[in-house]
Amino acid sequence: MHLKIVIIIFAILLLLPSNIMANDSALVSSQLDALNLSSFIKEGENYTKESFSEIDINKLLNSAVSGNINNKNLYKTILILLGKEVNLGISTLGKILIIIVIHSVLKNISENIGNNEVSQIAYYVEFILIVTLAMSNFTTIIESIRESITNLISYINILVPILLSLIVTTRKCSKCKYYTAYYFICNNIYR
Amino acid sequence: MLTTLSNKSGIDSTYLSIILKITGIAILTEFAVSICNDSGETAIANKIDLGGKVIIISISIPIIVALLELIIEILP
């Protein structure tokens, strides 16, 4: 019974997180050089330049290692990006509304012609135009989503080696939260 | 008014001109068909109807092509 309790306490102690921050900047930089993380960061900057032009990932990583991370700049950039997306959505909505107004005017004219096949064809052509204009807006959205997904996958592929090297260096492979990294690696190997 | 609206919203004005042309042709065709029917000339009315349809479809080709191009663009 006592042995069981001791084992449980030992297991809990093993699983408890312990945050140890490095204060010596020279030591941190030497460790980063030893892990050769700078090349990964440089590669990663190619994907973050467009969206996070103001944020230096190297500085961010160094500050994260020493525990003095400043997230305000990151949050500000995310909010600006969100604002841009909302603005784009509103403009798309405005375009669709204008198309609907034009369509309603033309539909009113077409309805007054009569219910002959000619007027029906004219109405269908108008309908095709509305679909075309609405779809052109959605095409740009789909393209931007496709591009961002590709960038995200490439960025994750760059992050996996960094994460692996950090796991190996810190020797905390048993922690549950690192299992997501294993899933990523397994997925990449499988692909 | 429609041109101003289309320019403000970034819609191509050529599409708008095509739509106006189609509406005008439809009105004229319908008018001619009803006159021929009233005067008892149903054969001529049918021919005018067919001619109107052909003209409308030939004018609307750029719109149909634009739609098809968009669909091809979306497809992977």
Side-chain angles (χ1 to χ4, degrees):
Chain A
M1 186 66 187
H2 287 290
L3 188 69
K4 272 185 184 176
I5 292 164
V6 169
I7 289 167
I8 289 164
I9 290 165
F10 189 68
I12 289 166
L13 282 172
L14 271 178
L15 291 170
L16 275 174
S18 54
N19 295 325
I20 302 160
M21 305 298 178
N23 287 321
D24 191 1
S25 59
L27 188 70
V28 171
S29 60
S30 68
Q31 288 277 320
L32 290 173
D33 287 337
L35 292 168
N36 196 20
L37 290 178
S38 56
S39 61
F40 292 119
I41 290 162
K42 269 182 189 172
E43 191 67 33
E45 274 175 353
N46 293 330
Y47 298 99
T48 54
K49 253 181 198 174
E50 286 177 16
S51 308
F52 298 98
S53 55
E54 291 173 7
I55 293 168
D56 187 10
I57 296 178
N58 207 7
K59 270 186 187 175
L60 196 78
L61 189 77
N62 284 330
S63 59
V65 168
S66 57
N68 300 319
I69 193 161
N70 184 18
N71 286 330
K72 276 182 186 174
N73 207 1
L74 199 69
Y75 291 142
K76 206 191 282 178
T77 320
I78 289 167
L79 273 173
I80 290 164
L81 282 172
L82 195 72
K84 275 179 189 172
E85 290 296 320
V86 170
N87 202 10
L88 193 76
I90 289 167
S91 67
T92 309
L93 197 73
K95 274 182 186 178
I96 291 167
L97 274 172
I98 287 164
I99 292 161
I100 289 164
V101 168
I102 293 167
H103 170 66
S104 61
V105 171
L106 291 170
K107 195 188 169 190
N108 196 22
I109 295 164
S110 302
E111 274 179 354
N112 288 328
I113 299 167
N115 287 320
N116 206 2
E117 285 175 17
V118 180
S119 64
Q120 287 289 316
I121 290 167
Y123 176 72
Y124 288 137
V125 171
E126 283 168 19
F127 197 73
I128 287 167
L129 178 66
I130 288 157
V131 170
T132 311
L133 292 171
M135 268 178 73
S136 65
N137 288 323
F138 286 115
T139 313
T140 51
I141 293 164
I142 288 165
E143 270 178 14
S144 66
I145 289 167
R146 197 181 287 169
E147 197 183 329
S148 58
I149 287 169
T150 316
N151 282 341
L152 201 69
I153 290 166
S154 312
Y155 192 60
I156 292 294
N157 281 337
I158 290 165
L159 273 180
V160 166
I162 300 173
L163 203 63
L164 259 179
S165 49
L166 284 173
I167 290 167
V168 172
T169 317
T170 51
R171 294 172 187 170
K172 282 198 171 179
C173 307
S174 60
K175 283 186 91 171
C176 292
K177 62 181 174 184
Y178 288 121
Y179 280 119
T180 47
Y182 298 137
Y183 286 130
F184 270 131
I185 297 153
C186 291
N187 274 333
N188 282 331
I189 290 166
Y190 182 70
R191 273 165 64 198
Chain B
M1 183 196 78
L2 290 173
T3 318
T4 320
L5 264 176
S6 67
N7 285 333
K8 275 182 182 173
S9 60
I11 302 162
D12 199 353
S13 58
T14 50
Y15 292 140
L16 209 68
S17 66
I18 287 168
I19 283 294
L20 287 171
K21 273 179 196 173
I22 285 168
T23 316
I25 289 161
I27 291 166
L28 278 174
T29 313
E30 193 69 30
F31 190 63
V33 166
S34 58
I35 285 170
C36 289
N37 279 328
D38 287 346
S39 57
E41 298 290 343
T42 48
I44 297 169
N46 284 334
K47 300 290 178 293
I48 292 168
D49 201 18
L50 185 71
K53 279 178 197 171
V54 170
I55 291 166
I56 285 171
I57 288 165
S58 59
I59 285 175
S60 66
I61 281 170
I63 293 170
I64 297 162
V65 168
L67 179 69
L68 290 173
E69 275 179 357
L70 263 175
I71 292 165
I72 290 163
E73 210 174 294
I74 290 170
L75 287 172

